[in-house]
Every structure is written in structure tokens, then in C-alpha cells.
Amino acid sequence: MPATPTGRWRAPPIAGLPHYAPAALRTLLGREFTHVIFNARRGFHAEAFAALAGTLHAGSWLLLLAPPWASWPQQPDEDSLRWADVADPVAAPNFIHH
């Protein structure tokens, strides 16, 4: 898929392939997958990432889509709306550096 004018790749979910919101990943425990892609470009939900990693067969791939490394610590994290008492997303540079 071609890049958008902002240089960010965007694509709708692929028909026929499952896709889940981070909050729904808890429901996947007990199931097994071969390969998965975790999209963290707008926010990194660590609990969902761990739950998804627990669903993989041995030898599977877990691909993490992340913002460019240099700008990621300053980028607002949409997941911060879940764990911080804020009206707008905030950056989490200490978490990203850790």
C-alpha cells in the first residue's frame, strides 16, 4: 500500500484476517496463533502485548509496528488515556527508553 502524504503507512484491516482492539486481547488467552502483528504506532498497550505474546506457538513471529525510534519517546501515546488521568494522550518517554 502506498505511503500517505504524511509518510505514514495506513491500511484497513485485511478482509478475512482477524484483528482485535488491545482491550479485547485478554479474550484470546487459551488460543494459539502462528504469527501476529502488534500495532503500537499510536500507543503501546503493554498488557495487551504480553497477552498476545502468550498466544504464540513456539517458533512463531511477533512483529511490533512502532513509530520511528527517534521520535517515539516524544510521541503522544493513546494508551495513556487508559492509565493516566488526562484528557489528551501524553508521551511516555521513560517507558519507551526502558
Side-chain angles (χ1 to χ4, degrees), residues 7-9 38-45 64-78 96:
R8 294 184 179 158
W9 174 69
F38 188 89
N39 185 354
R41 292 177 294 174
R42 293 176 42 188
F44 186 77
H45 191 303
L64 175 65
L65 298 180
W69 182 251
S71 63
W72 194 4
Q74 293 80 35
Q75 180 173 319
D77 187 328
E78 289 186 9
I96 300 303

Side-chain angles (χ1 to χ4, degrees), residues 13-31:
I14 299 170
L17 294 180
H19 59 280
Y20 303 93
L25 290 176
R26 288 184 206 177
T27 65
L28 299 179
L29 293 177
R31 295 179 60 187

